[in-house]
Amino acid sequence: MRCAEAERLMNAILDGDLANSPRLDAHLDACSGCRELYSALRQTVADLTSASWPEPATDIVAGVMGRLPRPDIPSTTQRVAQVLLGSVLTAAAVAVGLVGWRLGLPGAVASSIVGCAQELAAGFGGSLDAAGSTPGGRILLTWALSGVLSAALVVVGSVARLLARPVLAEKEAQ
Amino acid sequence: MRSEPTDAMLIHLVLSGDRQSFARLVERHRRKVFSAAMQTLGDRELAEDVTQEAFVKAYRSLEAYSPTIARFETWLLTIAARTAVDAQRRRRRTESLEHITEAQGFDPPSQARPEASSEAESVSEAVHRALRRLPERQRLAVTLKHLQELPFTEVARIMGCSVNSAKVHAHRGRVQLAKYLGHIREELTA
């Protein structure tokens, strides 16, 4: 066997891919150079695995947790602003509904909505005449109108909150 | 007796918003990560900083981790190895060649044989110094294989190369280490 092949077998054993090799043993008996190399490599691996390594001096866990990015928790100011804004929007939606009902607006507006819906429904063979012409239908349409207005106000409020967030955060940081 | 949660369970909890579960992951893997950093850098303070940096990087990219690609420990050691190598390169860029030569005990082959200095050192110190002298890829392959006791499939994954390539780096690294530790004559491997 050539020395290059012997070195290949040495590495296979040191890598853990091979338990032993009688062919290598026979070569080592005859080749002092390979015998010295193999002995040196085995001693090197033994030194490596027996070497001690220092432990960390600092608390790694505490250090890591202190460096983690903070979760996106709204500040107290932001939370108060959100609650106030939500309350105002809800109150406004209820007020719109009550005032509109008191002034009889829903009936007139509902008629307009029915008119538009009729034109749309004509294409699909349906009709909303009955919905706008009965008291129950007008009540349903009133609540539907209030719901649409409330939803619109919530959307406007949410957009305003998102836009105001950087300003609130800056004020909080100060 | 309640069994310890697996890495996968803890990762799931972290991704659900439980930051304390990440602390448990750090506690579980900190020794290995610190060892890997220490074996690359040889400087405890820098290794501690790199260890923390590696865990923070892991936290930030935890959503991208998949157990189908690699074990969590392998993935973590990949991040740690690359972070340590980056730190090593940054350190070298800020140091002069003379300082590196002096601090790391680099001796050109024509100078006295290594065992003349290793006689006065403990085996551990000699190993630490010898490892720092190895080229980056050889040091990584040797430490991952023999100190972290990883199979070559994972060594290769961490190093970003083929298994054969990782083995070649490890083989050459062992021979170089044997020379630096004085176990082998220079002329034998010429």
Side-chain angles (χ1 to χ4, degrees), chain A residues 101-113:
Chain A
W101 174 73
R102 195 79 182 107
L103 295 178
L105 276 176
V109 178
S111 298
S112 302
I113 293 176

Side-chain angles (χ1 to χ4, degrees), chain A residues 117-158:
Chain A
Q118 275 182 324
E119 287 178 21
L120 285 171
F124 296 94
S127 174
L128 292 179
D129 271 344
S133 62
T134 63
R138 278 199 289 275
I139 290 171
L140 281 172
L141 282 170
T142 300
W143 284 110
L145 175 66
S146 296
V148 167
L149 280 176
S150 299
L153 283 169
V154 168
V155 167
V156 167
S158 299

Side-chain angles (χ1 to χ4, degrees), chain A residues 59-98:
Chain A
D59 185 343
I60 297 288
V61 177
V64 170
M65 298 309 287
R67 288 164 79 158
L68 291 185
R70 296 192 178 281
D72 192 19
I73 299 172
S75 65
T76 305
T77 306
Q78 286 176 305
R79 277 191 238 120
V80 168
Q82 286 168 12
V83 169
L84 280 175
L85 192 58
S87 304
V88 166
L89 288 175
T90 305
V94 169
V96 164
L98 285 174

